[in-house]
Amino acid sequence: MILITGATGHLGGTVIDFLLEKLPAKETAVLVRDKGKADKLTGKGVDVRTGDYNNKETLLSAFKEIDKMLLISGNDVAKRLQQHKNAIDAAKQAGVKHVIYTSFDRKKEDGSPLGILAQSHIETDRYLKESGLVWTIIRNTLYADALPMFFGEDVLETGIFFPAGNGKVPFATRRDMAEATAAVLTGEEHGNRDYVFANTHYYSMHDAAVILSDIAGRQVKYHNPPQEVYTEELTKAGVPQESIEMGVAFGEAIKTGEFETDRTDLDKILGREPVSLKDFLKQLYTPG
C-alpha cells in the first residue's frame, strides 16, 4: 500500500488524484492531522489515517502495513526538520520499505539565501539517505503557481515589483510535478535516486513581464527594486513582515542563480514537455 502525507494540501491532493488513475483506492492511504477536514478524501475511497508530524506515536500507528510513502515537507519551517526526522524514524520502525521526499532543487548545499527554508530540506535529504530505508529525493524547482504571491493582485496594472534581478528559474506547474510524483510512486525503478523536477526552459521576471504584456495587450513592466525599497514599500502597504522577508529571500535566491541548475528529469518522467510558463500564465490571467 502507498501512503501520501500532507494529503489535504495542494500538492498532496493533486498527487492523490493522479495516483487514483493508476491504482485502486483500496491500495492508497493518506495521512491527515484532522479526519474531520478530510471528507473529500474519504469520498474518494482511500484509507484516511490520522497522524501528526510532532507526535511519533501517532505516525507509528498510521504507517502500519505501508510499503511506500510520500513524505511531503511540512509547512512549519522552524519545526519541520525534527518533524521530518520523526516521520522517517516512524516509517522505519513501522516497516515502511521506501520513502519518497519532496525536497527542493538548488545549486548550493551551504549558504543558500533561503536560510532555514533551504537547510531543513538539505538536512532531511541527508537524514533520509542515511536511514537505511530505500529512498527517493525529488528536488522540486519553484512552482509557477507561486508567482501570483510574488506578483501581487494587480500585476497587470502595476507591473511586477520584485527584487530578483536578471536571475532565471525553470518554473514548473504544481500539477506537472504532482503527475510525475505519482509516476515515481507507482514505478519500481526509482529507489535510491535523486530527481530534479524543473522545466526545460528558464524564465526571468523580465520574461514573465513580456508574457503578461501579451496577455494584457499593453506593456507590463518589471520593476527590480533594491531590497530596502522593496521592504519599505511592502511595509507601507501593510504586508506582514514574515511575507516580506520570504519575498526578499526568494528574490535574492533567484537573483543569484540558486535555481539555475541546468538539469531536469521532469520531461522524462512525464513523457512530454512540461507546461510552459507562457501557457500557465495565459490560463491564469486571461479573462473568461
Side-chain angles (χ1 to χ4, degrees):
M1 181 175 279
I2 294 174
L3 181 138
I4 312 298
T5 71
T8 56
H10 293 299
L11 179 63
T14 311
V15 170
I16 291 163
D17 289 340
F18 280 113
L19 201 58
L20 292 177
E21 294 177 5
K22 300 171 180 289
L23 294 176
K26 65 181 180 181
E27 295 179 21
T28 304
V30 300
L31 182 74
V32 300
R33 281 185 296 178
D34 183 353
K35 215 166 188 175
K37 297 179 180 179
D39 290 345
K40 288 184 179 179
L41 293 168
T42 302
K44 293 177 181 179
V46 299
D47 182 359
V48 179
R49 304 182 180 193
T50 56
D52 189 322
Y53 283 162
N54 293 308
N55 188 329
K56 184 180 171 185
E57 293 304 314
T58 65
L59 299 178
L60 279 170
S61 176
F63 295 165
K64 287 180 180 178
E65 299 179 348
I66 297 299
D67 300 304
K68 193 180 291 186
M69 182 178 91
L70 176 65
L71 175 58
I72 293 179
S73 57
N75 293 325
D76 189 337
V77 176
K79 295 181 180 179
R80 73 177 177 187
L81 176 58
Q82 186 57 54
Q83 291 175 339
H84 295 166
K85 288 181 176 180
N86 291 344
I88 292 166
D89 290 344
K92 186 173 182 179
Q93 192 172 336
V96 177
K97 298 179 179 66
H98 185 175
V99 173
I100 295 94
Y101 174 63
T102 59
S103 187
F104 88 113
D105 194 30
R106 68 270 183 180
K107 266 190 176 177
K108 299 186 291 290
E109 293 300 300
D110 296 294
S112 170
L114 295 175
I116 191 174
L117 283 167
Q119 207 58 38
S120 58
H121 278 304
I122 291 166
E123 292 184 30
T124 299
D125 291 357
R126 293 171 183 163
Y127 194 78
L128 178 55
K129 289 180 178 180
E130 294 169 1
S131 69
L133 292 161
V134 177
W135 54 269
T136 305
I137 305 294
I138 296 176
R139 295 167 57 136
N140 289 330
T141 192
L142 286 185
Y143 296 155
D145 310 64
L147 283 170
M149 179 177 67
F150 300 143
F151 290 171
E153 293 182 2
D154 302 317
V155 63
L156 296 183
E157 286 73 37
T158 62
I160 300 171
F161 184 78
F162 192 60
N166 296 314
K168 294 192 174 188
V169 178
F171 291 107
T173 67
R174 183 188 290 116
R175 183 172 178 81
D176 275 351
M177 292 185 192
E179 181 179 348
T181 299
V184 169
L185 279 165
T186 53
E188 298 299 328
E189 68 276 18
H190 305 297
N192 298 336
R193 297 185 67 174
D194 287 277
Y195 290 111
V196 173
F197 284 179
N199 216 310
T200 53
H201 295 85
Y202 287 72
Y203 309 91
S204 66
M205 289 295 160
H206 174 73
D207 295 328
V210 170
I211 294 169
L212 293 175
S213 296
D214 181 56
I215 294 168
R218 60 182 181 278
Q219 185 179 21
V220 175
K221 293 184 177 181
Y222 167 43
H223 306 278
N224 174 34
Q227 290 181 4
E228 297 78 9
V229 174
Y230 175 81
T231 299
E232 182 181 345
E233 291 301 314
L234 267 64
T235 300
K236 287 180 183 176
V239 177
Q241 188 63 29
E242 184 179 355
S243 298
I244 296 172
E245 290 174 359
M246 184 173 293
V248 168
F250 275 103
E252 185 65 16
I254 294 169
K255 183 178 180 179
T256 57
E258 180 75 344
F259 305 103
E260 296 179 44
T261 60
D262 298 320
R263 175 192 161 193
T264 184
D265 302 291
L266 185 57
D267 56 334
K268 303 175 191 69
I269 299 292
L270 290 173
R272 60 171 171 81
E273 279 289 303
V275 171
S276 70
L277 184 62
K278 182 176 182 178
D279 287 345
F280 175 78
L281 292 179
K282 279 189 173 181
Q283 183 180 17
L284 192 63
Y285 288 105
T286 301

